[in-house]
Amino acid sequence: MNTKFMLTCSDCGKTFSPSPELYLCPDCSKSNNTGLPPKGVLKAIYDYEAIGKSNEVAIRNNFWDLLPLNYKTSLPKLRVGNTPIYKFEKIDGESVPFGLYLKDDSQNPTFSFKDRASSVVSAYAKENGISTIVAASTGNAGSSLAGICASQEQKAIIMVPKSAPQAKLTQIVMYGATIVPVDGTYDMAFDLSIEATQEFGWYNRNTAYNPLTIEGKKTVSLELFLQLNRAIPDYIFVPVGDGVIISGVYKGYEDLLRIGLIDRMPTIVAVQAAGSSNLIDNIGKTDFTTKPSQTIADSISVDVPRNFYMAQSFIMQYQGEHLPVTDEEIVEASKILARNTGIFAEPAAATAYAGMLRYNKLNKMHSKQKVVVLLTGSGLKDLKAISSIVNIPNAIEPTLDALKIVF
Ligand SMILES: [Zn+2]
């Protein structure tokens, strides 16, 4: 029994006691159909007033009171989160005219941000005596759940589109999960995994379905708060696919706001690939329309952004900004990032960096501002996406004369 949190419907506002069988608001999800973002996504809420009375204790406990778990021992042994943040002053020899901070979440156990969500979901399953967890994934969430479950003696079942990058598929297999490649899109794998959850009684980790994924993802904001010595960033650039990471980033800051540790929200910038911009294109519109995604940034390639309504409401409530960037900009950003920082990010992560570069070109940010770019996954997870720009020279004779031709 967990009494630390309740779940509230992000559409109708009804509140429910949490249970592993409760995913979406039973009322609002009734008329959900495939092809449209689901209504009734639930949001965890805590006793903010009580926690706010002893803010400093909350900080000392590393915000444990803001996690939906009873025991710290339920969490995996692997180090999840607490990833490094770096300040860089120059890009290609030119001074950056603002404080540029890179949060490197490729330094998670399975090399992506998704470990934050998998870890909380896995721990919650453990506390509820559940040993099998299923997820649909574009690749990262699946490889993450597989790795985290391997460390927790749990069984993972992962449904992925067969086109997912080889490295991510390999991880899933090596971590001992049951992999189910689906001859279709991520969206099709998503729907199948939900049917399977109902049929087989597994616990489901799908984002924007399982409300606890947001709780894991929000930990990045709690960390940023401490790493930046409690300063609120002026901008945070976040790569966006189905809208769950950005909702997590918002949720973390909103929790901080509700316990009174901050008095304003950062401006969060949603960056989507222009070939998969179904979330930002629909903001503020009455009817949701979608177009098929086509982008090299596979982990944010989504036809139906599952957490659209929650992301939209955060963006509108807290005056978030958004922009699309082209695949060319993403590839260029990934090169610029790698050669200037030593951080090799996957295309989805480079998307956020591309958004920052565009804002910089437009002189939107100025000195004294703190700008964070969230780098969500390692470039080693998808080498194919950038293979066209990687030219490895032919081998030379191992002689000084041959080397002199090169230099
Ligand atoms: Zn509802």
Side-chain angles (χ1 to χ4, degrees):
M1 183 70 184
N2 188 317
T3 53
K4 278 175 84 178
F5 73 110
M6 295 288 279
L7 292 169
T8 179
C9 173
S10 53
D11 289 302
C12 72
K14 258 188 219 118
T15 299
F16 305 90
S17 291
S19 91
E21 293 84 36
L22 178 66
Y23 294 100
L24 300 174
C25 167
D27 296 336
C28 297
S29 63
K30 264 189 203 131
S31 50
N32 283 349
N33 57 42
T34 54
L36 288 174
K39 293 267 191 178
V41 176
L42 299 174
K43 192 169 159 186
I45 48 166
Y46 300 80
D47 188 347
Y48 294 111
E49 210 185 313
I51 301 168
K53 278 185 187 143
S54 47
N55 274 335
E56 296 304 317
V57 176
I59 292 175
R60 269 204 304 281
N61 293 337
N62 205 15
F63 298 113
W64 176 249
D65 292 339
L66 291 173
L67 281 183
L69 301 170
N70 285 328
Y71 310 105
K72 288 185 180 164
T73 48
S74 312
L75 286 163
K77 291 187 183 73
L78 303 175
R79 189 221 59 194
V80 176
N82 295 315
T83 56
I85 189 165
Y86 305 109
K87 186 166 189 273
F88 281 94
E89 275 87 24
K90 285 186 177 174
I91 299 175
D92 288 345
E94 285 202 23
S95 292
V96 180
F98 49 85
L100 173 61
Y101 296 84
L102 304 180
K103 178 75 170 155
D104 184 10
D105 253 58
S106 70
Q107 301 299 309
N108 273 302
T110 75
F111 318 106
S112 93
F113 183 93
K114 301 293 169 76
D115 288 341
R116 295 178 182 275
S118 299
S119 146
V120 168
V121 167
S122 156
Y124 185 76
K126 205 168 166 184
E127 292 188 355
N128 286 278
I130 301 167
S131 56
T132 303
I133 311 178
V134 63
S137 164
T138 57
N140 277 336
S143 51
S144 167
L145 182 65
I148 297 297
C149 281
S151 78
Q152 293 261 73
E153 295 176 39
Q154 289 168 324
K155 173 102 193 127
I157 298 168
I158 312 296
M159 300 184 183
V160 274
K162 65 176 184 186
S163 60
Q166 198 62 31
K168 298 178 187 180
L169 298 175
T170 305
Q171 279 184 290
I172 295 169
V173 172
M174 288 306 291
Y175 292 136
T178 302
I179 186 168
V180 184
V182 172
D183 190 6
T185 61
Y186 162 65
D187 300 86
M188 293 169 186
F190 191 102
D191 292 335
L192 178 63
S193 81
I194 288 175
E195 282 177 55
T197 300
Q198 285 150 5
E199 179 73 22
F200 300 106
W202 301 325
Y203 189 49
N204 190 305
R205 180 219 179 272
N206 285 10
T207 50
Y209 184 63
N210 186 321
L212 302 189
T213 59
I214 298 266
E215 294 309 291
K217 291 179 181 193
K218 81 178 181 190
T219 57
V220 74
S221 304
L222 307 176
E223 262 170 56
L224 281 172
F225 173 75
L226 297 177
Q227 287 177 320
L228 294 173
N229 296 319
R230 306 188 182 195
I232 305 162
D234 295 281
Y235 289 96
I236 305 178
F237 288 85
V238 181
V240 173
D242 58 12
V244 179
I245 290 186
I246 193 164
S247 297
V249 176
Y250 268 117
K251 176 64 163 43
Y253 278 103
E254 190 180 64
D255 279 1
L256 292 174
L257 195 67
R258 294 182 78 164
I259 64 169
L261 271 172
I262 58 172
D263 56 7
R264 67 176 175 91
M265 294 288 278
T267 298
I268 297 178
V269 187
V271 193
Q272 285 210 288
S276 178
S277 54
N278 287 315
L279 193 147
I280 60 174
D281 288 351
N282 279 289
I283 289 175
K285 299 222 173 111
T286 37
D287 285 316
F288 185 92
T289 55
T290 175
K291 49 183 195 306
S293 330
Q294 183 65 51
T295 169
I296 58 156
D298 73 288
S299 50
I300 50 169
S301 180
V302 166
D303 293 346
V304 182
R306 302 284 164 168
N307 214 32
F308 171 71
Y309 291 108
M310 190 189 284
Q312 172 180 252
S313 106
F314 273 130
I315 291 169
M316 289 172 83
Q317 185 180 353
Y318 298 117
Q319 290 86 48
E321 299 181 8
H322 49 84
L323 76 158
V325 291
T326 63
D327 276 9
E328 291 72 34
E329 282 179 283
I330 294 170
V331 171
E332 189 57 26
S334 117
K335 273 160 66 177
I336 296 172
L337 173 67
R339 72 171 177 245
N340 280 283
T341 67
I343 300 172
F344 178 28
E346 72 169 342
T351 301
Y353 194 77
M356 181 279 296
L357 290 175
R358 179 93 75 79
Y359 264 43
N360 186 28
K361 240 184 226 160
L362 298 169
N363 293 316
K364 278 189 168 253
M365 297 157 311
H366 44 83
S367 64
K368 296 199 178 120
Q369 286 191 321
K370 286 188 166 59
V371 174
V372 175
V373 181
L374 194 52
L375 300 173
T376 45
S378 162
L380 291 174
K381 289 184 138 231
D382 190 2
L383 292 175
K384 205 170 142 204
I386 42 129
S387 57
S388 64
I389 57 155
V390 177
N391 294 312
I392 296 166
N394 291 329
I396 61 159
E397 295 263 328
T399 65
L400 205 48
D401 284 343
L403 191 62
K404 280 179 181 166
I405 297 169
V406 179
F407 292 97

